[in-house]
Amino acid sequence: MKIAVLPGDGIGVEIVKQALRVLEVLRSDGLKLELEQAPLGGAAYDQYGAPYPEFTQKICRAADAVLLGAVGGPQYDTLDFQLRPERGLLGIRKDLGLFANLRPAVLFPELANASTLKPEVVAGLDIMIVRELTGDIYFGQPRGTRTNDQGVREAFNTMIYSEPEIRRIAHVGFGLAMKRGRKLCSVDKANVLECTGFWKEIVIDVAKEYPQVALSHMYVDNAAMQLVRNPKQFDVIVTGNLFGDILSDEASMLTGSIGMLASASLDANNKGLYEPAHGSAPDIAGKNLANPLATILSVAMMLRYTFNNEAAGSRIEAAVKKVLGAGCRTADIFEPGMQKLSCSEMGDAVVKAM
Ligand code: NAD
């Protein structure tokens, strides 16, 4: 298993360090791992003058999976747009052809009070949102602004999906549903938009290959409402880039704790980029305060989705559950009566639980 490790900037360095300790436990138990570190974002700009330099590209292309911390920092905010750390993120996603974004919204019952929703609505929540990442209105042509025949200025974008693009993301959705609760909800706006009506038609066709999965369809406005009304009705949701962008952020906030949320972006061969959903948190960087659990849970996703190693993925998740059950909390998820730990102490606790 060849893993490119990109700590990035800010707390990225601290949280990736703890995730690597988890991988070391697996290695000492016999897992064959090859790790290679490279800079991304601001760190890469400092060293090579570019946020996704050739050195990093080579290592990422040769790897089976990439583990990323986070990028960005105020010292880079005045740089030219093309040199900003965040351009490194777009660069790597495009370079590796990562078209499927997996964003789990999982709320460990121990953290039910962290959500702004009632604990009984969200306790035990476990949704997977699959967002198509490289198509839709974000990339469709033509796009732009113009002055029309009446001399009025207007702006336009094109919502477009090809059949192969829909098929490949539908397969990801069904594949995940097969590994989970065997329920897939495809979100569209088929009553208004031809493009998403086509989406629905193709998803229904792909469903014939997955008779064990219960497929349902939901309009995006209803899905947004159902996610806060009764989120536990969902298992896997699959949707396009625009709807997925909005719904995945909505779903992540159901859990109320950004330091707990992992994510994966996959290519056609399940090569993946794994990273926490949060950023580089410059306000707490270098203080050993960050919550490393989102990054540690990203490693669990890597083992499951790229390396097909369900046992190792579950082992990490069980260890996280165990430390939460024992009352271990970093500052971001702290409640009175619990034990407040630093970033490295949380790493110690997970390693010990494993
Ligand atoms: P952020 O996610 O970095 O921080 C938002 C808030 O959440 C902060 O108060 C931070 O302290 C807290 N937080 C985030 N992660 C935490 C963790 N693991 N443990 C404890 N607290 C945590 O978002 P921001 O402040 O809007 O952005 C900061 C920088 O990160 C910017 O440069 C931004 O561009 C970048 N960013 C990068 C990514 C990425 O690398 N994927 C994503 C979002 C933002």
Side-chain angles (χ1 to χ4, degrees), residues 43-175:
Y45 172 77
D46 290 340
Q47 205 175 335
Y48 292 100
Y52 181 45
E54 218 165 285
F55 175 81
T56 305
Q57 289 170 23
K58 272 193 193 144
I59 289 177
C60 292
R61 285 176 194 157
D64 302 308
V66 180
L67 176 66
L68 168 63
V71 299
Q75 67 272 46
Y76 305 109
D77 284 351
T78 50
L79 283 179
D80 204 53
F81 195 64
Q82 289 304 322
L83 297 175
R84 297 245 181 110
E86 295 76 7
R87 293 300 295 183
L89 278 182
L90 295 181
I92 191 172
R93 285 176 187 153
K94 192 160 175 233
D95 185 37
L96 301 182
L98 307 170
F99 71 91
N101 184 223
L102 277 49
R103 286 267 295 261
V106 176
L107 183 57
F108 290 89
E110 294 81 2
L111 298 181
N113 287 328
S115 175
T116 48
L117 269 73
K118 290 184 188 132
E120 64 268 26
V121 175
V122 289
L125 182 77
D126 185 0
I127 306 177
M128 177 68 81
I129 299 203
V130 182
R131 166 190 173 193
E132 201 288 329
L133 207 54
T134 54
D136 205 351
I137 197 162
Y138 290 179
F139 294 93
Q141 296 288 347
R143 61 194 294 159
T145 54
R146 65 187 168 204
T147 303
N148 72 15
D149 296 346
Q150 284 81 43
V152 177
R153 287 180 65 224
E154 57 188 20
F156 56 97
N157 292 87
T158 303
M159 179 177 261
I160 180 165
Y161 264 121
S162 68
E163 184 170 339
E165 282 177 315
I166 303 171
R167 281 192 183 277
R168 68 179 183 176
I169 194 75
H171 279 294
V172 173
F174 281 107

Side-chain angles (χ1 to χ4, degrees), residues 39 44 147 170 198 200 290:
T147 303
F198 182 58
K200 184 173 178 179

Side-chain angles (χ1 to χ4, degrees), residues 158-338:
T158 303
M159 179 177 261
I160 180 165
Y161 264 121
S162 68
E163 184 170 339
E165 282 177 315
I166 303 171
R167 281 192 183 277
R168 68 179 183 176
I169 194 75
H171 279 294
V172 173
F174 281 107
L176 282 167
M178 286 294 292
K179 289 185 179 174
R180 295 172 40 105
R182 302 201 166 185
K183 279 187 354 185
L184 179 68
C185 179
S186 169
V187 172
D188 60 59
K189 190 72 182 166
N191 51 342
V192 181
L193 299 167
E194 283 81 355
C195 178
T196 77
F198 182 58
W199 169 283
K200 184 173 178 179
E201 185 188 316
I202 304 300
V203 172
I204 289 172
D205 195 49
V206 174
K208 291 177 193 154
E209 297 175 47
Y210 300 90
Q212 305 94 325
V213 175
L215 173 67
S216 61
H217 305 272
M218 201 177 271
Y219 296 141
V220 64
D221 42 350
N222 187 24
M225 193 255 283
Q226 295 296 335
L227 270 175
V228 284
R229 195 185 74 87
N230 176 19
K232 284 193 259 182
Q233 70 185 283
F234 296 108
D235 176 21
V236 181
I237 292 176
V238 65
T239 190
N241 204 346
L242 172 65
F243 300 158
D245 190 2
I246 300 165
L247 293 182
S248 61
D249 262 24
E250 184 190 3
S252 72
M253 279 320 297
L254 297 174
T255 70
S257 50
I258 196 162
M260 296 294 302
L261 296 171
S263 84
S265 303
L266 304 179
D267 79 355
N269 303 310
N270 279 346
K271 173 170 177 164
L273 171 77
Y274 296 84
E275 58 179 325
H278 58 75
S280 58
D283 53 336
I284 57 167
K287 296 181 180 161
N288 198 20
L289 286 176
N291 184 348
L293 293 179
T295 317
I296 289 172
L297 291 168
S298 298
V299 172
M301 288 187 83
M302 176 191 290
L303 288 156
R304 180 170 289 131
Y305 297 121
T306 290
F307 298 122
N308 244 326
N309 191 335
E310 178 64 35
S314 303
R315 182 176 170 200
I316 295 172
E317 287 163 358
V320 168
K321 204 171 157 44
K322 194 168 169 188
V323 300
L324 293 173
C328 299
R329 301 283 188 275
T330 41
D332 57 310
I333 50 174
F334 181 73
E335 287 173 65
M338 301 290 159

